[in-house]
Amino acid sequence: MNSMLQTDFRLSDVEVSDAHDIGHHVEVPAMQNGPLYRTMFPQFNTVTEAQKEQITRWYIEMLENAFQAREEEFLKVCSVDGTPVGFCGWTIIEQNHDQQQAGEPRKREKAQISSWLPDTLDVDGWVALSKDLKAERTRVLKDLDSICRLTFMAVHPKYQRQGIGSMMMERICKETDQQGRCAYVLAAPEGVPLYSKFGFEIIGHVETTHGAITSMFRPSRHPC
């Protein structure tokens, strides 16, 4: 049994140089059992080590682009030896502001487009699921303003159920509450209990052949 406590982990901001370690040690290992990954890579059970490495390099490149764009907030959790074991990201949606700036280039979307795709990526499946997720997000958020939308939440499987996800959620919810914002996430199955613990309510599902992605909403709260 792993006896590590929350005090053995350190929460800090993310640097662009962290992309390699976060992609390799956190993001890819954490999402391999989830419906999004398995829809994107339907040959997940038979990919070679070289193909796995290619997928990891692709995720690392996208993380680097996102970190460089600086249009989202990111946090990492490291173990005592400095290895990342948890990672999260979120963006603030200001609908009225976005409408006013509708004519300006969308830097975040451009920054996250990779220059190449892994050989094992099911592009059609990825695009179709992305459209379904966007439709669900729009359904929930279209009439709302000042929203904290969680975009990343990952903990390496070896370190799950040790309070790392809660460390990150406590920070996000504290800032969200201080600003009086609501929060939203499209959650993988393993993330639903964590979000429920922090006041997120289930308001919908997007079904995939590998399980449901759950639409969850947290109402705005005034700071104490």
Side-chain angles (χ1 to χ4, degrees):
M1 180 177 178
N2 197 317
S3 60
M4 294 186 79
L5 303 173
Q6 268 198 20
T7 52
D8 296 311
F9 303 107
R10 183 171 61 88
L11 184 69
S12 62
D13 294 332
V14 168
E15 303 293 337
V16 175
S17 58
D18 293 322
H20 178 274
D21 286 346
I22 289 174
H24 184 76
H25 294 293
V26 184
E27 180 68 6
V28 175
M31 69 183 304
Q32 286 181 351
N33 292 326
L36 176 60
Y37 183 92
R38 294 190 170 201
T39 298
M40 293 169 63
F41 301 101
Q43 303 174 36
F44 58 88
N45 279 329
T46 58
V47 294
T48 65
E49 288 303 316
Q51 289 170 331
K52 289 180 181 177
E53 180 59 30
Q54 186 188 58
I55 292 169
T56 301
R57 286 193 291 108
W58 183 61
Y59 273 105
I60 289 170
E61 181 175 310
M62 289 195 296
L63 289 173
E64 287 177 342
N65 292 340
F67 296 167
Q68 289 172 348
R70 298 186 180 276
E71 295 204 8
E72 297 174 66
E73 300 291 332
F74 299 101
L75 291 172
K76 64 180 178 180
V77 176
C78 294
S79 61
V80 289
D81 66 358
T83 301
V85 296
F87 162 67
C88 67
W90 68 98
T91 186
I92 304 302
I93 301 173
E94 301 284 2
Q95 303 278 32
N96 293 335
H97 176 76
D98 290 346
Q99 290 172 4
Q100 294 171 3
Q101 304 296 327
E104 296 185 2
R106 298 194 58 152
K107 298 179 182 178
R108 183 172 65 249
E109 289 187 357
K110 290 183 178 180
Q112 292 181 338
I113 295 175
S114 179
S115 59
W116 59 280
L117 299 174
D119 297 336
T120 52
L121 176 67
D122 180 352
V123 176
D124 291 340
W126 178 34
V127 170
L129 179 53
S130 296
K131 288 181 178 178
D132 289 343
L133 295 174
K134 182 178 180 180
E136 172 61 15
R137 186 168 68 244
T138 300
R139 179 188 73 83
V140 176
L141 303 180
K142 62 181 180 179
D143 296 323
L144 300 175
D145 193 22
S146 192
I147 307 146
C148 172
R149 181 170 75 86
L150 277 70
T151 52
F152 295 92
M153 178 62 68
V155 177
H156 188 287
K158 178 181 175 182
Y159 293 92
Q160 291 174 4
R161 294 179 174 81
Q162 297 183 46
I164 294 172
S166 292
M167 286 178 66
M168 295 187 288
M169 286 302 300
E170 285 170 0
R171 171 77 169 270
I172 294 170
C173 289
K174 179 181 178 181
E175 293 188 10
T176 299
D177 291 344
Q178 287 175 341
Q179 298 298 324
R181 293 189 172 105
C182 59
Y184 179 74
V185 65
L186 285 161
E190 63 271 17
V192 173
L194 173 65
Y195 299 123
S196 297
K197 174 183 174 182
F198 284 89
F200 285 76
E201 301 171 357
I202 296 174
I203 54 174
H205 295 90
V206 176
E207 298 294 338
T208 80
T209 56
H210 301 286
I213 296 175
T214 303
S215 184
M216 303 186 73
F217 182 79
R218 184 178 187 266
S220 61
R221 305 180 182 184
H222 294 292
C224 298

